[in-house]
Short mmCIF file of all heavy atoms in Angstrom, two decimals:
data_model
loop_
_atom_site.label_atom_id
_atom_site.label_comp_id
_atom_site.label_asym_id
_atom_site.label_seq_id
_atom_site.Cartn_x
_atom_site.Cartn_y
_atom_site.Cartn_z
N MET A 290 156.76 117.74 281.51
CA MET A 290 156.56 119.16 281.61
C MET A 290 156.42 119.62 280.12
O MET A 290 157.17 119.27 279.36
CB MET A 290 157.69 119.81 282.29
CG MET A 290 157.50 121.33 282.38
SD MET A 290 158.86 122.08 283.28
CE MET A 290 160.25 121.48 282.24
N VAL A 291 155.43 120.42 279.94
CA VAL A 291 155.19 121.00 278.59
C VAL A 291 155.50 122.49 278.63
O VAL A 291 155.42 123.15 279.71
CB VAL A 291 153.80 120.76 278.03
CG1 VAL A 291 153.61 119.25 277.86
CG2 VAL A 291 152.73 121.27 279.02
N GLY A 292 155.93 123.09 277.57
CA GLY A 292 156.44 124.45 277.54
C GLY A 292 155.32 125.44 277.19
O GLY A 292 154.23 125.28 277.56
N ALA A 293 155.79 126.51 276.59
CA ALA A 293 154.90 127.72 276.34
C ALA A 293 153.66 127.30 275.59
O ALA A 293 153.62 126.51 274.73
CB ALA A 293 155.73 128.73 275.53
N ARG A 294 152.57 127.99 275.97
CA ARG A 294 151.26 127.76 275.36
C ARG A 294 150.81 129.05 274.84
O ARG A 294 150.62 129.98 275.54
CB ARG A 294 150.28 127.21 276.40
CG ARG A 294 148.89 126.96 275.87
CD ARG A 294 148.05 126.50 277.01
NE ARG A 294 147.78 127.52 277.95
CZ ARG A 294 147.17 127.44 279.11
NH1 ARG A 294 146.75 126.24 279.46
NH2 ARG A 294 146.96 128.44 279.93
N GLY A 295 150.66 129.22 273.59
CA GLY A 295 150.27 130.46 272.95
C GLY A 295 151.33 131.51 273.21
O GLY A 295 152.49 131.20 273.04
N ASP A 296 150.94 132.69 273.52
CA ASP A 296 151.87 133.78 273.76
C ASP A 296 152.27 133.83 275.24
O ASP A 296 153.03 134.72 275.68
CB ASP A 296 151.39 135.11 273.24
CG ASP A 296 149.99 135.42 273.87
OD1 ASP A 296 149.39 134.52 274.46
OD2 ASP A 296 149.60 136.60 273.81
N LEU A 297 151.67 132.91 276.02
CA LEU A 297 152.08 132.91 277.50
C LEU A 297 153.08 131.87 277.71
O LEU A 297 153.03 130.75 277.11
CB LEU A 297 150.84 132.58 278.28
CG LEU A 297 149.78 133.73 278.37
CD1 LEU A 297 148.53 133.18 279.05
CD2 LEU A 297 150.32 134.94 279.17
N SER A 298 154.00 132.13 278.60
CA SER A 298 154.93 131.06 279.05
C SER A 298 154.31 130.37 280.20
O SER A 298 154.46 130.84 281.39
CB SER A 298 156.30 131.68 279.43
OG SER A 298 156.88 132.15 278.27
N ILE A 299 153.70 129.26 279.94
CA ILE A 299 153.00 128.44 280.96
C ILE A 299 153.57 127.07 280.93
O ILE A 299 153.74 126.49 279.91
CB ILE A 299 151.52 128.47 280.81
CG1 ILE A 299 150.88 129.78 280.93
CG2 ILE A 299 150.89 127.47 281.81
CD1 ILE A 299 150.93 130.38 282.37
N TYR A 300 154.03 126.60 282.10
CA TYR A 300 154.56 125.30 282.14
C TYR A 300 153.60 124.39 282.97
O TYR A 300 153.19 124.80 284.09
CB TYR A 300 155.91 125.34 282.81
CG TYR A 300 156.89 126.17 282.02
CD1 TYR A 300 157.06 127.48 282.29
CD2 TYR A 300 157.58 125.64 280.95
CE1 TYR A 300 157.86 128.31 281.59
CE2 TYR A 300 158.38 126.38 280.22
CZ TYR A 300 158.58 127.83 280.52
OH TYR A 300 159.36 128.56 279.76
N ARG A 301 153.29 123.25 282.49
CA ARG A 301 152.30 122.38 283.12
C ARG A 301 152.96 121.16 283.66
O ARG A 301 153.79 120.49 282.98
CB ARG A 301 151.20 122.02 282.18
CG ARG A 301 150.10 121.12 282.85
CD ARG A 301 148.88 121.01 281.89
NE ARG A 301 149.22 120.53 280.60
CZ ARG A 301 149.29 119.13 280.32
NH1 ARG A 301 149.12 118.22 281.24
NH2 ARG A 301 149.63 118.69 279.16
N CYS A 302 152.66 120.78 284.89
CA CYS A 302 153.15 119.57 285.44
C CYS A 302 152.29 118.40 284.86
O CYS A 302 151.10 118.46 284.87
CB CYS A 302 152.93 119.60 286.97
SG CYS A 302 153.23 117.94 287.70
N GLU A 303 153.06 117.48 284.21
CA GLU A 303 152.38 116.43 283.53
C GLU A 303 151.81 115.41 284.48
O GLU A 303 151.00 114.52 284.19
CB GLU A 303 153.34 115.77 282.57
CG GLU A 303 153.73 116.65 281.46
CD GLU A 303 154.76 116.03 280.50
OE1 GLU A 303 155.05 114.86 280.75
OE2 GLU A 303 155.25 116.83 279.68
N GLU A 304 152.19 115.47 285.79
CA GLU A 304 151.73 114.53 286.75
C GLU A 304 150.34 115.01 287.32
O GLU A 304 149.53 114.17 287.57
CB GLU A 304 152.68 114.44 287.89
CG GLU A 304 154.05 113.80 287.45
CD GLU A 304 153.87 112.36 286.96
OE1 GLU A 304 153.16 111.62 287.53
OE2 GLU A 304 154.50 112.04 285.94
N CYS A 305 150.19 116.27 287.57
CA CYS A 305 149.02 116.71 288.28
C CYS A 305 148.30 117.76 287.51
O CYS A 305 147.20 118.27 288.00
CB CYS A 305 149.38 117.16 289.72
SG CYS A 305 150.27 118.64 289.77
N ASP A 306 148.84 118.22 286.43
CA ASP A 306 148.14 119.24 285.52
C ASP A 306 148.09 120.61 286.15
O ASP A 306 147.44 121.51 285.65
CB ASP A 306 146.81 118.77 285.18
CG ASP A 306 146.83 117.68 284.03
OD1 ASP A 306 147.90 117.58 283.41
OD2 ASP A 306 145.80 117.02 283.96
N LEU A 307 148.85 120.82 287.20
CA LEU A 307 148.93 122.28 287.65
C LEU A 307 149.80 123.03 286.66
O LEU A 307 150.72 122.44 286.02
CB LEU A 307 149.61 122.30 289.02
CG LEU A 307 148.72 121.98 290.23
CD1 LEU A 307 149.59 122.02 291.55
CD2 LEU A 307 147.55 122.91 290.35
N GLU A 308 149.49 124.35 286.56
CA GLU A 308 150.17 125.09 285.64
C GLU A 308 151.01 126.26 286.33
O GLU A 308 150.53 126.79 287.28
CB GLU A 308 149.25 125.78 284.59
CG GLU A 308 148.61 124.68 283.70
CD GLU A 308 147.67 125.20 282.61
OE1 GLU A 308 146.83 126.11 283.07
OE2 GLU A 308 147.70 124.74 281.53
N PHE A 309 152.17 126.45 285.82
CA PHE A 309 153.06 127.46 286.54
C PHE A 309 153.61 128.44 285.47
O PHE A 309 153.86 128.07 284.34
CB PHE A 309 154.22 126.66 287.15
CG PHE A 309 153.83 125.66 288.16
CD1 PHE A 309 153.47 124.39 287.73
CD2 PHE A 309 153.79 126.00 289.50
CE1 PHE A 309 153.12 123.46 288.65
CE2 PHE A 309 153.37 125.06 290.44
CZ PHE A 309 153.04 123.80 290.01
N GLU A 310 153.85 129.68 285.91
CA GLU A 310 154.43 130.67 285.08
C GLU A 310 155.95 130.38 285.00
O GLU A 310 156.66 130.80 284.06
CB GLU A 310 154.19 132.07 285.49
CG GLU A 310 152.73 132.45 285.27
CD GLU A 310 152.50 133.86 285.77
OE1 GLU A 310 153.40 134.51 286.34
OE2 GLU A 310 151.36 134.34 285.52
N GLU A 311 156.46 129.83 286.07
CA GLU A 311 157.92 129.57 286.12
C GLU A 311 158.22 128.09 285.96
O GLU A 311 157.70 127.24 286.61
CB GLU A 311 158.45 130.05 287.44
CG GLU A 311 158.39 131.63 287.59
CD GLU A 311 158.65 131.99 289.06
OE1 GLU A 311 157.79 131.96 289.81
OE2 GLU A 311 159.74 132.44 289.27
N ARG A 312 159.14 127.88 285.01
CA ARG A 312 159.50 126.49 284.70
C ARG A 312 160.07 125.80 285.89
O ARG A 312 159.73 124.52 285.97
CB ARG A 312 160.52 126.63 283.61
CG ARG A 312 161.06 125.20 283.19
CD ARG A 312 162.21 125.40 282.18
NE ARG A 312 162.61 124.13 281.78
CZ ARG A 312 163.02 123.80 280.54
NH1 ARG A 312 163.07 124.74 279.61
NH2 ARG A 312 163.45 122.60 280.25
N ILE A 313 160.76 126.37 286.73
CA ILE A 313 161.41 125.73 287.91
C ILE A 313 160.27 125.07 288.78
O ILE A 313 160.50 124.01 289.27
CB ILE A 313 162.27 126.67 288.69
CG1 ILE A 313 162.95 125.89 289.78
CG2 ILE A 313 161.43 127.78 289.26
CD1 ILE A 313 163.99 124.99 289.27
N TRP A 314 159.15 125.73 288.92
CA TRP A 314 158.13 125.13 289.75
C TRP A 314 157.41 124.00 289.13
O TRP A 314 157.05 123.01 289.76
CB TRP A 314 157.15 126.23 290.11
CG TRP A 314 157.69 127.17 291.10
CD1 TRP A 314 157.98 128.48 290.99
CD2 TRP A 314 158.06 126.88 292.47
NE1 TRP A 314 158.50 129.01 292.03
CE2 TRP A 314 158.63 128.04 293.06
CE3 TRP A 314 158.02 125.77 293.26
CZ2 TRP A 314 159.07 128.15 294.31
CZ3 TRP A 314 158.50 125.80 294.55
CH2 TRP A 314 158.99 126.98 295.10
N ALA A 315 157.22 124.06 287.85
CA ALA A 315 156.63 122.92 287.12
C ALA A 315 157.55 121.75 287.28
O ALA A 315 157.09 120.57 287.45
CB ALA A 315 156.34 123.27 285.66
N GLN A 316 158.82 121.97 287.10
CA GLN A 316 159.77 120.82 287.20
C GLN A 316 159.78 120.29 288.66
O GLN A 316 159.78 119.14 288.87
CB GLN A 316 161.17 121.41 286.89
CG GLN A 316 162.20 120.25 286.77
CD GLN A 316 161.86 119.32 285.59
OE1 GLN A 316 161.85 119.68 284.42
NE2 GLN A 316 161.46 118.06 285.98
N ARG A 317 159.81 121.20 289.65
CA ARG A 317 159.78 120.77 291.02
C ARG A 317 158.49 119.97 291.33
O ARG A 317 158.52 118.96 292.11
CB ARG A 317 159.87 121.89 291.93
CG ARG A 317 161.28 122.48 292.07
CD ARG A 317 161.34 123.53 293.09
NE ARG A 317 162.61 124.29 292.99
CZ ARG A 317 162.97 125.28 293.67
NH1 ARG A 317 162.09 125.83 294.55
NH2 ARG A 317 164.10 125.85 293.51
N CYS A 318 157.41 120.37 290.84
CA CYS A 318 156.09 119.77 291.00
C CYS A 318 156.16 118.30 290.45
O CYS A 318 155.83 117.40 291.17
CB CYS A 318 155.00 120.56 290.39
SG CYS A 318 153.36 120.05 290.82
N GLU A 319 156.65 118.17 289.19
CA GLU A 319 156.73 116.89 288.67
C GLU A 319 157.68 115.94 289.45
O GLU A 319 157.31 114.73 289.73
CB GLU A 319 157.32 116.92 287.17
CG GLU A 319 156.17 117.33 286.23
CD GLU A 319 156.65 117.20 284.81
OE1 GLU A 319 157.72 116.57 284.60
OE2 GLU A 319 156.02 117.71 283.92
N ASP A 320 158.74 116.48 289.83
CA ASP A 320 159.75 115.72 290.67
C ASP A 320 159.04 115.24 291.96
O ASP A 320 159.18 114.08 292.35
CB ASP A 320 160.98 116.49 290.99
CG ASP A 320 161.79 116.72 289.75
OD1 ASP A 320 161.56 116.06 288.72
OD2 ASP A 320 162.70 117.53 289.74
N HIS A 321 158.34 116.11 292.58
CA HIS A 321 157.71 115.85 293.84
C HIS A 321 156.63 114.81 293.69
O HIS A 321 156.49 113.81 294.46
CB HIS A 321 157.20 117.11 294.46
CG HIS A 321 156.63 116.96 295.88
ND1 HIS A 321 155.36 116.36 296.12
CD2 HIS A 321 157.15 117.30 297.08
CE1 HIS A 321 155.17 116.28 297.43
NE2 HIS A 321 156.23 116.82 298.01
N ASP A 322 155.74 115.03 292.67
CA ASP A 322 154.66 114.12 292.43
C ASP A 322 155.13 112.69 292.17
O ASP A 322 154.55 111.75 292.69
CB ASP A 322 153.90 114.58 291.26
CG ASP A 322 153.23 115.94 291.41
OD1 ASP A 322 153.13 116.43 292.60
OD2 ASP A 322 152.70 116.54 290.43
N ARG A 323 156.20 112.60 291.42
CA ARG A 323 156.71 111.23 291.07
C ARG A 323 157.31 110.54 292.26
O ARG A 323 157.17 109.35 292.44
CB ARG A 323 157.74 111.36 289.99
CG ARG A 323 157.07 111.62 288.57
CD ARG A 323 158.10 111.73 287.49
NE ARG A 323 157.37 112.04 286.21
CZ ARG A 323 157.77 112.93 285.36
NH1 ARG A 323 158.94 113.54 285.55
NH2 ARG A 323 157.05 113.20 284.26
N LYS A 324 157.96 111.39 293.08
CA LYS A 324 158.63 110.84 294.26
C LYS A 324 157.61 110.35 295.30
O LYS A 324 157.75 109.31 295.91
CB LYS A 324 159.56 111.93 294.80
CG LYS A 324 160.71 111.36 295.64
CD LYS A 324 161.62 112.57 296.02
CE LYS A 324 163.02 112.05 296.30
NZ LYS A 324 163.89 113.27 296.48
N TYR A 325 156.64 111.27 295.56
CA TYR A 325 155.78 111.02 296.73
C TYR A 325 154.34 110.67 296.30
O TYR A 325 153.50 110.39 297.17
CB TYR A 325 155.69 112.31 297.59
CG TYR A 325 157.02 112.67 298.16
CD1 TYR A 325 157.74 113.76 297.53
CD2 TYR A 325 157.58 112.03 299.21
CE1 TYR A 325 158.97 114.15 298.06
CE2 TYR A 325 158.78 112.40 299.65
CZ TYR A 325 159.52 113.56 299.09
OH TYR A 325 160.76 113.83 299.59
N GLN A 326 154.13 110.59 295.02
CA GLN A 326 152.75 110.28 294.53
C GLN A 326 151.74 111.16 295.10
O GLN A 326 150.55 110.75 295.37
CB GLN A 326 152.42 108.80 294.88
CG GLN A 326 153.43 107.83 294.29
CD GLN A 326 153.32 107.76 292.75
OE1 GLN A 326 152.32 107.56 292.22
NE2 GLN A 326 154.51 107.90 292.12
N ALA A 327 152.06 112.42 295.31
CA ALA A 327 151.10 113.40 295.89
C ALA A 327 151.65 114.80 295.61
O ALA A 327 152.85 114.98 295.39
CB ALA A 327 150.94 113.19 297.34
N CYS A 328 150.75 115.74 295.59
CA CYS A 328 151.11 117.15 295.38
C CYS A 328 151.60 117.74 296.65
O CYS A 328 151.25 117.36 297.74
CB CYS A 328 149.96 117.96 294.80
SG CYS A 328 149.88 117.87 293.07
N SER A 329 152.48 118.80 296.53
CA SER A 329 152.91 119.53 297.65
C SER A 329 152.16 120.87 297.72
O SER A 329 152.12 121.53 296.69
CB SER A 329 154.41 119.80 297.50
OG SER A 329 154.79 120.85 298.37
N ILE A 330 151.64 121.17 298.86
CA ILE A 330 150.91 122.45 299.00
C ILE A 330 151.91 123.62 298.70
O ILE A 330 151.51 124.55 298.10
CB ILE A 330 150.40 122.54 300.45
CG1 ILE A 330 149.35 121.45 300.64
CG2 ILE A 330 149.80 123.94 300.68
CD1 ILE A 330 147.94 121.87 300.34
N ASP A 331 153.13 123.43 299.19
CA ASP A 331 154.11 124.42 299.00
C ASP A 331 154.42 124.68 297.58
O ASP A 331 154.83 125.89 297.16
CB ASP A 331 155.36 124.16 299.82
CG ASP A 331 155.18 124.32 301.32
OD1 ASP A 331 154.28 125.14 301.66
OD2 ASP A 331 155.94 123.75 302.05
N ILE A 332 154.29 123.75 296.77
CA ILE A 332 154.56 123.86 295.32
C ILE A 332 153.29 124.40 294.68
O ILE A 332 153.34 125.31 293.83
CB ILE A 332 155.05 122.59 294.72
CG1 ILE A 332 156.42 122.26 295.25
CG2 ILE A 332 155.12 122.69 293.23
CD1 ILE A 332 156.97 120.92 294.89
N ALA A 333 152.19 123.81 294.99
CA ALA A 333 150.90 124.13 294.37
C ALA A 333 150.55 125.60 294.52
O ALA A 333 149.89 126.23 293.70
CB ALA A 333 149.78 123.30 294.94
N ARG A 334 151.02 126.22 295.59
CA ARG A 334 150.67 127.62 295.85
C ARG A 334 151.35 128.52 294.77
O ARG A 334 150.88 129.66 294.66
CB ARG A 334 151.09 128.05 297.26
CG ARG A 334 152.61 128.10 297.46
CD ARG A 334 153.00 128.02 298.89
NE ARG A 334 152.70 129.22 299.58
CZ ARG A 334 153.00 129.42 300.90
NH1 ARG A 334 153.60 128.42 301.57
NH2 ARG A 334 152.74 130.53 301.48
N HIS A 335 152.30 128.01 294.13
CA HIS A 335 153.00 128.79 293.08
C HIS A 335 152.28 128.56 291.69
O HIS A 335 152.59 129.24 290.68
CB HIS A 335 154.43 128.37 292.87
CG HIS A 335 155.24 128.74 294.09
ND1 HIS A 335 155.84 129.98 294.21
CD2 HIS A 335 155.51 128.06 295.22
CE1 HIS A 335 156.49 130.05 295.35
NE2 HIS A 335 156.32 128.89 296.01
N ALA A 336 151.30 127.76 291.68
CA ALA A 336 150.59 127.45 290.40
C ALA A 336 149.74 128.59 289.99
O ALA A 336 149.23 129.37 290.78
CB ALA A 336 149.74 126.18 290.55
N VAL A 337 149.58 128.72 288.67
CA VAL A 337 148.66 129.67 288.11
C VAL A 337 147.20 129.11 288.31
O VAL A 337 146.99 127.93 288.08
CB VAL A 337 148.92 129.80 286.58
CG1 VAL A 337 147.87 130.80 286.00
CG2 VAL A 337 150.33 130.30 286.38
N MET A 338 146.35 129.87 288.83
CA MET A 338 145.03 129.47 289.02
C MET A 338 144.37 129.44 287.70
O MET A 338 144.18 130.39 286.95
CB MET A 338 144.25 130.44 289.96
CG MET A 338 144.64 130.27 291.42
SD MET A 338 144.41 128.61 292.06
CE MET A 338 146.05 128.09 292.34
N SER A 339 144.02 128.24 287.26
CA SER A 339 143.52 128.08 285.91
C SER A 339 142.09 128.65 285.76
O SER A 339 141.23 128.50 286.64
CB SER A 339 143.42 126.52 285.63
OG SER A 339 142.86 126.37 284.35
N LYS A 340 141.99 129.35 284.66
CA LYS A 340 140.69 129.98 284.34
C LYS A 340 139.84 128.95 283.46
O LYS A 340 138.72 129.28 283.20
CB LYS A 340 140.85 131.22 283.61
CG LYS A 340 141.55 132.29 284.44
CD LYS A 340 142.67 132.87 283.60
CE LYS A 340 143.77 133.44 284.46
NZ LYS A 340 145.12 133.52 283.76
N ASN A 341 140.45 127.90 283.11
CA ASN A 341 139.73 126.88 282.29
C ASN A 341 139.09 127.48 281.07
O ASN A 341 137.97 127.15 280.74
CB ASN A 341 138.68 126.13 283.08
CG ASN A 341 139.27 124.89 283.67
OD1 ASN A 341 140.36 124.44 283.30
ND2 ASN A 341 138.52 124.34 284.62
N THR A 342 139.87 128.29 280.36
CA THR A 342 139.29 128.89 279.13
C THR A 342 139.64 127.88 277.96
O THR A 342 140.64 127.40 277.85
CB THR A 342 139.95 130.26 278.84
OG1 THR A 342 141.38 130.16 278.94
CG2 THR A 342 139.37 131.29 279.83
ZN1 ZN B 113 152.48 118.27 289.96
#
């Protein structure tokens, strides 16, 4: 998990590259990905929709 980016507090799951505003979700996502080798829809729905800027 990586921390704040610029002036935004964005946390990125290092396993699947989803980005979250809340650290807890990024952490849960990583834990889930490592455990099940797959993303969870229930976690992904909390992700920030990337604008790819
Ligand atoms: Zn993930």
Side-chain angles (χ1 to χ4, degrees):
M290 182 178 57
V291 294
R294 181 182 67 187
D296 55 346
L297 290 172
S298 291
I299 296 289
Y300 301 92
R301 182 168 56 84
C302 171
E303 292 174 9
E304 296 296 318
C305 69
D306 284 342
L307 282 178
E308 293 180 317
F309 301 86
E310 287 182 357
E311 291 168 281
R312 178 182 180 144
I313 185 69
W314 286 113
Q316 189 64 65
R317 282 183 191 177
C318 192
E319 280 189 14
D320 289 345
H321 186 283
D322 293 348
R323 285 181 183 138
K324 203 174 205 174
Y325 300 103
Q326 303 293 307
C328 271
S329 163
I330 298 269
D331 284 338
I332 293 173
R334 70 199 289 181
H335 293 272
V337 178
M338 286 304 114
S339 178
K340 297 130 203 157
N341 266 347
T342 49

